[in-house]
Amino acid sequence: MINYFANIAKGKVILWCYLIWYLVIVCFYFDSEIRIWLNSAGISLVIGIALILSVSSQNGSKMEKWQVFRLFAMPFCVSSFSSLIKGQGFIFVIPPNKIELVAVVGSCGAFILFVFTVKKAYSRSAG
């Protein structure tokens, strides 16, 4: 796992930060209403299939399992995120409460610092 983070691309770090942001907000605004999660799963299925069709190549090469997972997970996260924050006073995706904002930005910052530290340590041990 450390090797993964030592070699992670900037784009993947951003995707991880999106996931961290989502998970922190879900912790603050979780709603056990089953319709939110079923609707999000339905949207994930429909949009995920469309995304698979739009990015699949005609030469028959297979997509990575994690890429397929992300193509279904992203619509699920977007849909459930939007349902959870509806009417909560968010501006764009920024939480209205300073404690929540510190939590999400701090969590992403801590992750970025972790990746930076791992990359530094890995490059020293390799060089």
Side-chain angles (χ1 to χ4, degrees):
M1 192 71 172
I2 294 296
N3 191 40
Y4 170 79
F5 289 114
N7 296 301
I8 193 170
K10 290 177 186 175
K12 295 269 174 70
V13 171
I14 293 168
L15 288 176
W16 275 100
C17 285
Y18 286 175
L19 178 62
I20 291 166
W21 193 285
Y22 169 80
L23 293 172
V24 171
I25 294 300
V26 167
C27 287
F28 280 109
Y29 291 91
F30 181 78
D31 188 336
S32 62
E33 174 60 45
I34 192 72
R35 289 185 312 186
I36 291 172
W37 305 105
L38 288 176
N39 287 336
S40 296
I43 288 169
S44 172
L45 184 65
V46 171
I47 301 301
I49 290 170
L51 290 171
I52 294 288
L53 294 173
S54 73
V55 300
S56 62
S57 65
Q58 293 183 1
N59 65 5
S61 64
K62 292 200 172 220
M63 295 171 52
E64 294 178 24
K65 291 177 185 175
W66 280 111
Q67 183 181 19
V68 172
F69 174 77
R70 284 192 312 266
L71 292 175
F72 285 94
M74 286 182 194
F76 177 85
C77 292
V78 168
S79 176
S80 59
F81 185 91
S82 104
S83 293
L84 293 174
I85 69 167
K86 182 179 178 182
Q88 300 291 340
F90 276 66
I91 298 172
F92 185 51
V93 295
I94 310 299
N97 182 306
K98 288 181 183 176
I99 292 171
E100 297 162 1
L101 182 58
V102 168
V104 294
V105 172
S107 297
C108 289
F111 174 73
I112 292 168
L113 182 60
F114 166 75
V115 170
F116 177 78
T117 303
V118 168
K119 284 181 172 288
K120 278 286 194 200
Y122 191 84
S123 68
R124 282 189 193 140
S125 68

